[in-house]
Amino acid sequence: MKTMNLPCVILGSLSGIAREIADQLVRKGTPLVLVARSAEELEIQASDLKIRYGITVETIAADASELDRMSSLPEECARKLKGGNIGCVILCWGVMYPQGEAEKNTQLLKQTFDINLTSSALVLQAFANKMSHAGGGTIVGISSVAGDRGRGSNYLYGASKAGLSALLDGMRHRYHGTGVRVITVKPGMVNTPMTKGIVNPSSPLCASPIKVAADIVRAIETRSVQIYTPEYWRLIMAVIRNIPEQLFLKSRL
Amino acid sequence: MIPGIRTSLSCWGRFHPAECRLIEPESRMKLAALFCDHAASGVIARGMGRSYGDSSVSGEGTVIGQTYLNRFLSFDPQHGIIHCEAGVTLEDIIKVSLPHGWFLPTTPGTKYVSVGGAIAADVHGKNHHVDGSFGNWVKGVTLILADGSIMECSPSKNPDVFWATVGGMGLTGFIRDARIQLRRVESSYYSVRYHRCRNLEAVLSMLASTEQQYRYSVGWIDCLSRGSGLGRSVLMLANNTGARALTSSLRSDPFRVRASARLPSVPFDFPDWVLNPFSVNLFNQAYYFKQRDREEIVPYDSFFYPLDGISSWNRIYGKRGFIQYQALFPDKTAQTGLRKILETVSSHGAASFLAVIKRCGEANLAPLSYIHRGYTLALDIPNLGAQLMPLIKSLDEILLEHQGRLYLAKDSMMDAKTFAAMYPRREEFLNIKKQIDPECFFISDQARRVGLCF
Ligand SMILES: Cc1cc2nc3c(=O)[nH]c(=O)nc-3n(C[C@H](O)[C@H](O)[C@H](O)COP(=O)(O)OP(=O)(O)OC[C@H]3O[C@@H](n4cnc5c(N)ncnc54)[C@H](O)[C@@H]3O)c2cc1C
Ligand SMILES: NC(=O)c1ccc[n+]([C@@H]2O[C@H](COP(=O)([O-])OP(=O)(O)OC[C@H]3O[C@@H](n4cnc5c(N)ncnc54)[C@H](OP(=O)(O)O)[C@@H]3O)[C@@H](O)[C@H]2O)c1
């Protein structure tokens, strides 16, 4: 597909899932701009991709909590690309603090929404503006199944992801027909640093980041608009969403 | 405290599982933080877990996994020098370097081994008699010491610490990254001569007399043949195939990297009865008679890594696991020592699927490096339960009587007294460790067992 030949921006390129996305896109020859907060790690990631696949990638060190900077990120990327068009942006950064800690620590609670929702809205809206001006592009946001229904065990993170899902779905509606395509990605449990110690990596419900990244890359290449990854989470979440509230209250999900 | 996960870890033989706290840092910053973490004690690095016993396991301690610390830092295709983090595997290196005409200077029988593991065990390949072990090809390492400080070590800079780290089983510090000199090759193929030897004597003399002629040599021993046929083997003697010797179809892509088809795998633990002496005997007989003396050109994968084609093959030994016994004898005692080992194993009916014999050349400077001039024999022994310990003890005694020694990367059962007798430079190593790790921050279950700690 054409999108894959145009440069792709990965926000939060050092995340467990994003590393695999970067690998898979580079192997397809997609030019990349990697954005993450550690300049040192970005440099290592770039050298690794260069040595493994012979492709040079651009990098930008930026922290999602610098909210003021978010709306100028698309311009920064364009400058790195010498003014070239951006084909695709993939939002991968996110934080998940243990629910119990976030309930008591306002700093963590605020961060959850700042990173997962506010920064995401600021940066993705800026990309949408730029892309619609340029006449097209693809916006991919990694939300989560946790946003599909608030659950006692993880509702602060879940609420930030519910907001992100609504943002992405609304954006898709807003830009329908303009050439700007928006993809909502809802992973289930994935074996990454985020879930270390929370999810058992050998559980059959825990997917590998390689699989999730492949699903995301395929969604970009095809006409998908909203994916669950692995796909069976669509069914699981349909069931969970439809449990009557009275029954749900008695469960310990 | 850095969150880690409590998990049961063991190595390839699945013999010594232990509860550990596993931490897999995603960045240098998180790695560094570990050394300021008061909850971290009994720390050991873990590569691909391809050692057989408990080298990268620390019960009640902290294990540093390298899932995310596996990135290439630079590659000089002109001089064949690769610089990478220690979690990079030998398979990764082949993929990067072979298309440029460079291969590993030496390689163990599996490519699913990390650079950190290859240095820490000072691994050897089928070319030890010519090229020595992996440590000989390491140009330098960046070591994180117990106090979190960083030390650059090489044969010329901090050489004591460098050589203690080579073969040091992760006990001197955490190897963050390493620079390795690769070998120029003319193709990714090997010209292999298969040669049957009817007994041990023939094997040893053939391995010794072909030393100059072949860079690579290895013998597969049929452990169940007895009497005058004891040690009956098939030898594989090989050199890298020159570009001109390739058929025209291979010559069009001389540095072909084989896609890692890890296709067939052992999907479940075999029941214990599958691997009985009878089935092993059948396997070994078939193997011996299938091999006619001949020459063949084969891809590097089938020559160096015949077992990598079947993933999780360790599961054929069932849930109870197995051990590998790798013995090294100096030239002068090799014949009698090896004979006694083979006799003892077969009289116990301790069937071995794989027994591999290799020629070894000169030792390097590393105090704990396993390998020196002589012959090394590696055999798998399934966990026989109560019978296992007495068998291993009697094998250890044979080794001690013949100035032999065991390989830490394969060891699962050696005790401290035996280790001290086999490794006379142990004290020298511990003195270096005391200087850079006075509180014995780095320790593994194996180190506790064999007394590589204080
Ligand atoms: C099928 C098979 C065939 C084999 N053939 C051979 C052979 O022919 N020749 C041979 O020599 N060996 C052979 N081996 C053994 C294997 O090469 C060694 O055990 C090797 O050390 C395994 O590396 P690993 O990455 O799996 O490390 P692990 O097994 O996880 O760890 C091994 C040691 O390396 C240390 N280590 C790992 N990373 C670091 C680091 N970053 N810093 C410091 N220490 C570190 C660990 O602490 C541990 O002490 C074979 C093993 C198998 C399973
Ligand atoms: N793993 C799962 O089970 C799962 C399930 C559903 C959805 N998701 C979502 O998938 C996405 C990727 O997560 P992952 O699983 O790959 O986890 P991860 O490895 O923990 O990745 C999270 C990334 O977010 C980055 N980040 C955090 N705060 C940041 C900030 N202030 N500025 C810039 N970057 C920041 C982190 O950067 P540093 O490297 O600098 O810390 C890290 O790379 C996340 O949005 C997550 O919510 C994950």
Side-chain angles (χ1 to χ4, degrees), chain B residues 400-439:
Chain B
L400 288 171
E401 269 166 35
H402 296 82
Q403 296 88 51
R405 55 161 56 166
L406 280 172
Y407 188 14
L408 283 176
K410 307 286 180 78
D411 152 68
S412 311
M413 298 179 84
M414 187 171 19
D415 58 36
K417 203 167 130 247
T418 310
F419 178 75
M422 289 177 177
Y423 285 80
R425 294 177 70 193
R426 169 183 170 272
E427 281 302 319
E428 189 185 327
F429 173 83
L430 286 177
N431 284 336
I432 299 169
K433 181 170 164 71
K434 271 179 197 145
Q435 286 164 29
I436 52 175
D437 183 12
E439 279 162 33

CSV table of all heavy atoms in Angstrom, one decimal, chain B residues 400-439:
chain,number,residue,atom,x,y,z
B,400,LEU,N,38.7,-37.0,38.1
B,400,LEU,CA,39.8,-36.5,39.0
B,400,LEU,C,41.0,-37.4,38.9
B,400,LEU,O,42.1,-36.9,38.9
B,400,LEU,CB,39.2,-36.5,40.4
B,400,LEU,CG,38.2,-35.4,40.7
B,400,LEU,CD1,37.6,-35.6,42.1
B,400,LEU,CD2,38.9,-34.0,40.6
B,401,GLU,N,40.8,-38.7,38.8
B,401,GLU,CA,42.0,-39.6,38.6
B,401,GLU,C,42.8,-39.3,37.4
B,401,GLU,O,44.0,-39.6,37.3
B,401,GLU,CB,41.5,-41.1,38.5
B,401,GLU,CG,41.3,-41.8,39.8
B,401,GLU,CD,40.5,-43.1,39.5
B,401,GLU,OE1,40.6,-43.7,38.4
B,401,GLU,OE2,39.7,-43.4,40.4
B,402,HIS,N,42.1,-38.8,36.4
B,402,HIS,CA,42.8,-38.6,35.1
B,402,HIS,C,43.1,-37.1,34.8
B,402,HIS,O,43.1,-36.7,33.6
B,402,HIS,CB,42.0,-39.2,34.0
B,402,HIS,CG,42.0,-40.7,34.1
B,402,HIS,ND1,41.0,-41.3,34.9
B,402,HIS,CD2,42.7,-41.7,33.6
B,402,HIS,CE1,41.2,-42.6,34.9
B,402,HIS,NE2,42.2,-42.9,34.1
B,403,GLN,N,43.1,-36.3,35.8
B,403,GLN,CA,43.4,-34.8,35.6
B,403,GLN,C,42.3,-34.2,34.7
B,403,GLN,O,42.7,-33.2,33.9
B,403,GLN,CB,44.8,-34.5,35.1
B,403,GLN,CG,45.9,-34.9,36.1
B,403,GLN,CD,46.3,-36.3,35.8
B,403,GLN,OE1,46.6,-36.7,34.7
B,403,GLN,NE2,46.4,-37.1,36.9
B,404,GLY,N,41.1,-34.7,34.7
B,404,GLY,CA,40.1,-34.1,33.8
B,404,GLY,C,39.3,-33.1,34.5
B,404,GLY,O,39.5,-32.8,35.7
B,405,ARG,N,38.4,-32.4,33.8
B,405,ARG,CA,37.6,-31.4,34.5
B,405,ARG,C,36.2,-31.4,33.8
B,405,ARG,O,36.0,-31.9,32.7
B,405,ARG,CB,38.2,-30.1,34.5
B,405,ARG,CG,38.7,-29.6,33.1
B,405,ARG,CD,38.9,-28.1,33.0
B,405,ARG,NE,39.8,-27.6,34.0
B,405,ARG,CZ,40.4,-26.4,33.9
B,405,ARG,NH1,40.1,-25.6,32.9
B,405,ARG,NH2,41.2,-26.0,34.8
B,406,LEU,N,35.3,-30.7,34.5
B,406,LEU,CA,33.9,-30.6,34.0
B,406,LEU,C,33.7,-29.1,33.5
B,406,LEU,O,34.3,-28.2,34.0
B,406,LEU,CB,32.9,-30.9,35.1
B,406,LEU,CG,32.6,-32.3,35.4
B,406,LEU,CD1,31.8,-32.5,36.6
B,406,LEU,CD2,31.9,-33.0,34.2
B,407,TYR,N,32.7,-28.9,32.6
B,407,TYR,CA,32.4,-27.6,32.0
B,407,TYR,C,31.3,-27.0,32.8
B,407,TYR,O,30.2,-27.6,32.9
B,407,TYR,CB,32.0,-27.9,30.6
B,407,TYR,CG,31.8,-26.7,29.7
B,407,TYR,CD1,32.2,-25.4,30.1
B,407,TYR,CD2,31.1,-26.8,28.5
B,407,TYR,CE1,32.0,-24.3,29.3
B,407,TYR,CE2,30.9,-25.7,27.7
B,407,TYR,CZ,31.4,-24.5,28.1
B,407,TYR,OH,31.2,-23.4,27.2
B,408,LEU,N,31.5,-25.8,33.4
B,408,LEU,CA,30.5,-25.1,34.2
B,408,LEU,C,29.2,-24.9,33.4
B,408,LEU,O,28.1,-25.0,34.0
B,408,LEU,CB,31.0,-23.8,34.8
B,408,LEU,CG,32.0,-23.9,36.0
B,408,LEU,CD1,32.5,-22.6,36.4
B,408,LEU,CD2,31.3,-24.6,37.1
B,409,ALA,N,29.3,-24.6,32.1
B,409,ALA,CA,28.1,-24.3,31.4
B,409,ALA,C,27.2,-25.5,31.3
B,409,ALA,O,26.0,-25.4,31.0
B,409,ALA,CB,28.5,-23.8,30.0
B,410,LYS,N,27.7,-26.7,31.5
B,410,LYS,CA,26.9,-27.9,31.4
B,410,LYS,C,26.6,-28.5,32.7
B,410,LYS,O,25.8,-29.4,32.8
B,410,LYS,CB,27.7,-28.9,30.5
B,410,LYS,CG,28.1,-28.5,29.1
B,410,LYS,CD,26.9,-28.3,28.2
B,410,LYS,CE,27.4,-27.8,26.8
B,410,LYS,NZ,27.9,-28.8,25.9
B,411,ASP,N,27.4,-28.1,33.7
B,411,ASP,CA,27.3,-28.7,35.0
B,411,ASP,C,26.0,-28.5,35.8
B,411,ASP,O,25.5,-27.4,35.7
B,411,ASP,CB,28.5,-28.2,35.9
B,411,ASP,CG,28.2,-28.3,37.3
B,411,ASP,OD1,28.1,-29.4,37.9
B,411,ASP,OD2,28.1,-27.2,38.0
B,412,SER,N,25.5,-29.6,36.4
B,412,SER,CA,24.3,-29.4,37.3
B,412,SER,C,24.6,-30.0,38.7
B,412,SER,O,23.8,-29.7,39.6
B,412,SER,CB,23.2,-30.2,36.7
B,412,SER,OG,23.0,-29.9,35.4
B,413,MET,N,25.6,-30.7,38.9
B,413,MET,CA,25.7,-31.5,40.2
B,413,MET,C,27.0,-31.4,40.9
B,413,MET,O,27.2,-32.0,42.0
B,413,MET,CB,25.3,-33.0,39.9
B,413,MET,CG,23.9,-33.1,39.4
B,413,MET,SD,23.6,-34.9,39.0
B,413,MET,CE,23.1,-35.4,40.7
B,414,MET,N,28.0,-30.8,40.3
B,414,MET,CA,29.4,-30.9,40.9
B,414,MET,C,29.4,-30.2,42.3
B,414,MET,O,28.7,-29.2,42.5
B,414,MET,CB,30.3,-30.1,39.9
B,414,MET,CG,31.7,-30.2,40.3
B,414,MET,SD,32.9,-29.5,39.1
B,414,MET,CE,31.9,-28.5,38.0
B,415,ASP,N,30.2,-30.8,43.2
B,415,ASP,CA,30.3,-30.1,44.5
B,415,ASP,C,31.5,-29.3,44.6
B,415,ASP,O,32.4,-29.4,43.7
B,415,ASP,CB,30.2,-31.2,45.7
B,415,ASP,CG,31.3,-32.2,45.6
B,415,ASP,OD1,32.4,-31.8,45.2
B,415,ASP,OD2,31.0,-33.4,45.9
B,416,ALA,N,31.6,-28.5,45.7
B,416,ALA,CA,32.7,-27.5,45.8
B,416,ALA,C,34.1,-28.2,45.8
B,416,ALA,O,35.0,-27.7,45.2
B,416,ALA,CB,32.5,-26.7,47.0
B,417,LYS,N,34.2,-29.3,46.5
B,417,LYS,CA,35.5,-30.0,46.6
B,417,LYS,C,36.0,-30.4,45.2
B,417,LYS,O,37.1,-30.2,44.8
B,417,LYS,CB,35.3,-31.2,47.5
B,417,LYS,CG,36.6,-31.6,48.1
B,417,LYS,CD,36.4,-32.5,49.3
B,417,LYS,CE,37.3,-33.7,49.1
B,417,LYS,NZ,36.6,-35.0,48.9
B,418,THR,N,35.1,-31.0,44.5
B,418,THR,CA,35.4,-31.5,43.1
B,418,THR,C,35.8,-30.3,42.3
B,418,THR,O,36.8,-30.4,41.5
B,418,THR,CB,34.2,-32.2,42.5
B,418,THR,OG1,33.7,-33.2,43.5
B,418,THR,CG2,34.6,-32.9,41.2
B,419,PHE,N,35.0,-29.2,42.4
B,419,PHE,CA,35.3,-28.1,41.5
B,419,PHE,C,36.7,-27.5,41.8
B,419,PHE,O,37.5,-27.3,40.9
B,419,PHE,CB,34.3,-27.0,41.8
B,419,PHE,CG,34.6,-25.7,41.0
B,419,PHE,CD1,34.3,-25.7,39.6
B,419,PHE,CD2,35.1,-24.6,41.6
B,419,PHE,CE1,34.6,-24.6,38.8
B,419,PHE,CE2,35.4,-23.5,40.8
B,419,PHE,CZ,35.2,-23.4,39.4
B,420,ALA,N,37.0,-27.4,43.1
B,420,ALA,CA,38.3,-26.8,43.5
B,420,ALA,C,39.5,-27.7,43.0
B,420,ALA,O,40.5,-27.2,42.6
B,420,ALA,CB,38.4,-26.7,45.0
B,421,ALA,N,39.3,-29.0,43.0
B,421,ALA,CA,40.3,-29.9,42.5
B,421,ALA,C,40.5,-29.8,41.0
B,421,ALA,O,41.6,-30.0,40.4
B,421,ALA,CB,40.0,-31.4,42.9
B,422,MET,N,39.4,-29.5,40.3
B,422,MET,CA,39.4,-29.5,38.8
B,422,MET,C,39.9,-28.1,38.3
B,422,MET,O,40.4,-28.0,37.2
B,422,MET,CB,38.1,-29.8,38.2
B,422,MET,CG,37.7,-31.2,38.4
B,422,MET,SD,36.0,-31.4,37.7
B,422,MET,CE,35.8,-33.2,37.9
B,423,TYR,N,39.7,-27.1,39.1
B,423,TYR,CA,40.0,-25.7,38.7
B,423,TYR,C,41.0,-25.1,39.6
B,423,TYR,O,40.7,-24.3,40.5
B,423,TYR,CB,38.8,-24.8,38.6
B,423,TYR,CG,37.9,-25.2,37.4
B,423,TYR,CD1,37.0,-26.3,37.4
B,423,TYR,CD2,38.0,-24.4,36.2
B,423,TYR,CE1,36.3,-26.6,36.2
B,423,TYR,CE2,37.3,-24.7,35.1
B,423,TYR,CZ,36.4,-25.8,35.1
B,423,TYR,OH,35.7,-26.1,34.0
B,424,PRO,N,42.3,-25.4,39.4
B,424,PRO,CA,43.4,-24.9,40.3
B,424,PRO,C,43.5,-23.4,40.4
B,424,PRO,O,44.0,-22.9,41.3
B,424,PRO,CB,44.6,-25.6,39.8
B,424,PRO,CG,44.3,-26.0,38.4
B,424,PRO,CD,42.9,-26.3,38.3
B,425,ARG,N,42.9,-22.7,39.4
B,425,ARG,CA,43.1,-21.2,39.4
B,425,ARG,C,41.8,-20.6,40.1
B,425,ARG,O,41.7,-19.3,39.9
B,425,ARG,CB,43.3,-20.7,38.0
B,425,ARG,CG,44.7,-21.1,37.5
B,425,ARG,CD,44.9,-20.6,36.1
B,425,ARG,NE,45.1,-19.2,36.0
B,425,ARG,CZ,45.0,-18.5,34.9
B,425,ARG,NH1,44.8,-19.1,33.7
B,425,ARG,NH2,45.2,-17.2,34.9
B,426,ARG,N,41.0,-21.3,40.8
B,426,ARG,CA,39.9,-20.8,41.4
B,426,ARG,C,40.2,-19.6,42.4
B,426,ARG,O,39.5,-18.6,42.4
B,426,ARG,CB,39.2,-22.0,42.2
B,426,ARG,CG,38.1,-21.6,43.2
B,426,ARG,CD,37.6,-22.8,43.9
B,426,ARG,NE,36.7,-22.4,45.0
B,426,ARG,CZ,37.1,-22.1,46.2
B,426,ARG,NH1,38.4,-22.2,46.5
B,426,ARG,NH2,36.3,-21.8,47.1
B,427,GLU,N,41.3,-19.8,43.2
B,427,GLU,CA,41.6,-18.8,44.2
B,427,GLU,C,42.0,-17.5,43.5
B,427,GLU,O,41.6,-16.4,43.9
B,427,GLU,CB,42.9,-19.3,45.0
B,427,GLU,CG,42.5,-20.2,46.1
B,427,GLU,CD,41.5,-19.7,47.1
B,427,GLU,OE1,41.6,-18.5,47.4
B,427,GLU,OE2,40.6,-20.4,47.5
B,428,GLU,N,42.7,-17.6,42.4
B,428,GLU,CA,43.1,-16.4,41.7
B,428,GLU,C,41.9,-15.7,41.2
B,428,GLU,O,41.8,-14.4,41.3
B,428,GLU,CB,43.9,-16.9,40.5
B,428,GLU,CG,44.6,-15.9,39.6
B,428,GLU,CD,45.3,-16.5,38.4
B,428,GLU,OE1,45.7,-17.7,38.5
B,428,GLU,OE2,45.3,-15.9,37.4
B,429,PHE,N,40.9,-16.4,40.7
B,429,PHE,CA,39.6,-15.8,40.3
B,429,PHE,C,38.9,-15.1,41.4
B,429,PHE,O,38.5,-14.0,41.4
B,429,PHE,CB,38.7,-16.9,39.7
B,429,PHE,CG,37.3,-16.3,39.3
B,429,PHE,CD1,37.1,-15.7,38.1
B,429,PHE,CD2,36.3,-16.5,40.2
B,429,PHE,CE1,35.9,-15.1,37.8
B,429,PHE,CE2,35.0,-16.0,39.9
B,429,PHE,CZ,34.8,-15.3,38.7
B,430,LEU,N,38.8,-15.8,42.6
B,430,LEU,CA,38.1,-15.3,43.7
B,430,LEU,C,38.8,-14.0,44.2
B,430,LEU,O,38.2,-13.1,44.7
B,430,LEU,CB,38.0,-16.3,44.8
B,430,LEU,CG,36.9,-17.4,44.5
B,430,LEU,CD1,36.9,-18.4,45.6
B,430,LEU,CD2,35.5,-16.8,44.3
B,431,ASN,N,40.2,-14.0,44.1
B,431,ASN,CA,40.9,-12.7,44.6
B,431,ASN,C,40.5,-11.5,43.7
B,431,ASN,O,40.3,-10.4,44.2
B,431,ASN,CB,42.4,-13.0,44.5
B,431,ASN,CG,42.8,-13.8,45.7
B,431,ASN,OD1,42.1,-13.9,46.8
B,431,ASN,ND2,43.9,-14.5,45.6
B,432,ILE,N,40.4,-11.8,42.4
B,432,ILE,CA,39.9,-10.7,41.5
B,432,ILE,C,38.5,-10.3,41.9
B,432,ILE,O,38.2,-9.1,42.0
B,432,ILE,CB,40.1,-11.1,40.1
B,432,ILE,CG1,41.5,-11.4,39.7
B,432,ILE,CG2,39.5,-10.0,39.1
B,432,ILE,CD1,41.8,-12.0,38.4
B,433,LYS,N,37.7,-11.3,42.1
B,433,LYS,CA,36.3,-11.0,42.4
B,433,LYS,C,36.2,-10.2,43.7
B,433,LYS,O,35.4,-9.2,43.8
B,433,LYS,CB,35.5,-12.3,42.5
B,433,LYS,CG,34.0,-12.1,42.8
B,433,LYS,CD,33.2,-13.4,42.7
B,433,LYS,CE,31.8,-13.3,43.3
B,433,LYS,NZ,30.8,-12.5,42.7
B,434,LYS,N,37.0,-10.5,44.7
B,434,LYS,CA,36.9,-9.8,46.0
B,434,LYS,C,37.2,-8.3,45.8
B,434,LYS,O,36.7,-7.5,46.5
B,434,LYS,CB,37.9,-10.4,47.0
B,434,LYS,CG,37.4,-11.6,47.8
B,434,LYS,CD,38.4,-12.2,48.7
B,434,LYS,CE,37.8,-13.5,49.2
B,434,LYS,NZ,38.9,-14.5,49.4
B,435,GLN,N,38.1,-8.0,44.9
B,435,GLN,CA,38.5,-6.6,44.7
B,435,GLN,C,37.3,-5.8,44.1
B,435,GLN,O,37.1,-4.7,44.4
B,435,GLN,CB,39.7,-6.5,43.8
B,435,GLN,CG,41.0,-6.9,44.5
B,435,GLN,CD,42.1,-7.1,43.5
B,435,GLN,OE1,42.1,-6.5,42.4
B,435,GLN,NE2,43.0,-8.0,43.9
B,436,ILE,N,36.6,-6.4,43.1
B,436,ILE,CA,35.6,-5.7,42.4
B,436,ILE,C,34.1,-6.0,42.9
B,436,ILE,O,33.2,-5.2,42.7
B,436,ILE,CB,35.6,-5.9,40.9
B,436,ILE,CG1,35.6,-7.4,40.6
B,436,ILE,CG2,36.8,-5.2,40.3
B,436,ILE,CD1,35.5,-7.7,39.1
B,437,ASP,N,34.0,-7.0,43.7
B,437,ASP,CA,32.7,-7.4,44.2
B,437,ASP,C,32.8,-7.9,45.6
B,437,ASP,O,32.5,-9.1,45.9
B,437,ASP,CB,32.0,-8.4,43.3
B,437,ASP,CG,30.6,-8.8,43.7
B,437,ASP,OD1,30.1,-8.1,44.5
B,437,ASP,OD2,30.1,-9.8,43.2
B,438,PRO,N,33.3,-7.0,46.6
B,438,PRO,CA,33.6,-7.5,47.9
B,438,PRO,C,32.4,-8.1,48.6
B,438,PRO,O,32.6,-9.0,49.5
B,438,PRO,CB,34.1,-6.3,48.6
B,438,PRO,CG,33.7,-5.1,47.8
B,438,PRO,CD,33.6,-5.6,46.4
B,439,GLU,N,31.2,-7.7,48.3
B,439,GLU,CA,30.1,-8.3,49.0
B,439,GLU,C,29.4,-9.4,48.3
B,439,GLU,O,28.3,-9.9,48.7
B,439,GLU,CB,29.1,-7.2,49.3
B,439,GLU,CG,29.5,-6.4,50.5
B,439,GLU,CD,28.9,-5.0,50.6
B,439,GLU,OE1,27.7,-4.9,50.2
B,439,GLU,OE2,29.6,-4.1,51.1
